[in-house]
Amino acid sequence: TNIKSFLDIGCGNSVLLKLMNKKIDYLGVDSNAGIYKKRKHNKIKYFNTAIRTENYLVNLKKKYECVALMDVLEHTDTFLKLFNIALKKSNKYVVVSLPNEDYIMSRLRFLFGKGIKTHGLDMINKKHGHKHQWFIQYNTATPLLKNNAKKFKFTLSDTMFYVNQPKSNIKRFIYKIMLLFLPKLLQMNSFCLIFRKD
């Protein structure tokens, strides 16, 4: 509620813009991987390549109170480069959302020969940005980002875990019962880390 400016890196179709107060000074940028339909809006900029997006962000003079990287870092070749850019462009918060590819459904898919979504050979002939470049695990990603954020005087202030559930009521009931006996790391299919400037 106290954010006045927001930079959305990897904004896609800018779903975050739809959710926030109209008074917030918003800028969304994306390298247009073709994952989402482009949204025409004067507060959104699409670039042909990830390098052009990064160059635009590096040369952007303005700082924002909050910078978000929602399901972005796992698609990049370097993982930390965009995170570092976000830390430099923020004067209050950086929000990072990542998939937890260690969760139970991913493990079961792999066990039954279905492979791991966004990592397999079925990604051949898809645009570059569709494929995950990294296999994200909460226990390795969190300390890596946390230690890197310290270099820019940011501290991990909050962590949120998300569990997707089946749409069918019967499947959802069975799934919830199954999850009761699993640790949180196996339950969550994504997590969100909020870094705050010291």
Side-chain angles (χ1 to χ4, degrees):
T1 55
N2 62 342
I3 297 294
K4 293 184 176 71
S5 58
F6 194 97
L7 175 59
D8 190 1
I9 300 175
C11 66
N13 61 359
S14 70
V15 68
L16 294 181
L17 177 59
K18 297 173 191 174
L19 301 172
M20 60 180 72
N21 187 320
K22 302 291 181 235
K23 293 178 185 174
I24 293 175
D25 179 19
Y26 174 93
L27 174 62
V29 296
D30 202 301
S31 65
N32 185 28
I35 296 170
Y36 300 103
K37 184 179 177 184
K38 281 187 191 179
R39 182 169 178 216
K40 290 186 181 184
H41 198 288
N42 63 350
K43 294 183 177 186
I44 302 167
K45 297 189 181 299
Y46 293 103
F47 298 91
N48 293 336
T49 64
I51 292 168
R52 285 189 177 172
T53 306
E54 289 171 6
N55 288 340
Y56 173 80
L57 290 168
V58 167
N59 294 317
L60 188 65
K61 301 282 185 250
K62 185 174 179 178
K63 284 197 167 201
Y64 291 80
E65 289 188 3
C66 185
V67 180
L69 293 152
M70 306 303 283
D71 295 321
V72 174
L73 297 180
E74 68 273 15
H75 296 278
T76 65
D77 291 334
T78 59
F79 193 71
L80 288 175
K81 189 174 182 183
L82 266 183
F83 181 59
N84 290 343
I85 290 171
L87 292 165
K88 289 176 187 174
K89 295 299 168 188
S90 173
N91 53 25
K92 271 193 184 174
Y93 303 101
V94 173
V95 181
V96 178
S97 172
L98 290 165
N100 175 35
E101 295 176 301
D102 241 359
Y103 85 114
I104 190 67
M105 293 311 288
S106 178
R107 291 179 182 216
L108 289 173
R109 281 181 54 82
F110 187 77
L111 187 65
F112 289 104
K114 301 250 181 173
I116 297 171
K117 286 183 178 181
T118 69
H119 286 281
L121 292 175
D122 55 331
M123 297 309 292
I124 289 176
N125 297 326
K126 297 259 182 175
K127 287 189 179 179
H128 181 72
H130 288 247
K131 183 179 181 294
H132 288 189
Q133 304 298 318
W134 307 97
F135 184 82
I136 307 295
Q137 297 167 296
Y138 173 80
N139 283 336
T140 53
T142 302
L144 176 68
L145 294 173
K146 196 173 166 183
N147 291 334
N148 204 68
K150 280 183 190 174
K151 297 174 192 172
F152 296 87
K153 298 186 175 157
F154 277 82
T155 305
L156 179 62
S157 63
D158 289 295
T159 303
M160 292 170 274
F161 303 104
Y162 299 95
V163 179
N164 281 356
Q165 297 180 11
K167 291 180 182 177
S168 154
N169 286 336
I170 294 168
K171 286 182 182 176
R172 185 178 296 158
F173 176 75
I174 294 166
Y175 194 63
K176 282 183 177 180
I177 297 294
M178 186 177 80
L179 292 183
L180 285 174
F181 305 101
L182 295 175
K184 192 167 281 198
L185 291 179
L186 287 177
Q187 292 181 29
M188 65 167 168
N189 61 308
S190 62
F191 58 99
C192 186
L193 306 172
I194 301 173
F195 296 90
R196 185 184 189 123
K197 184 102 175 173
D198 295 337

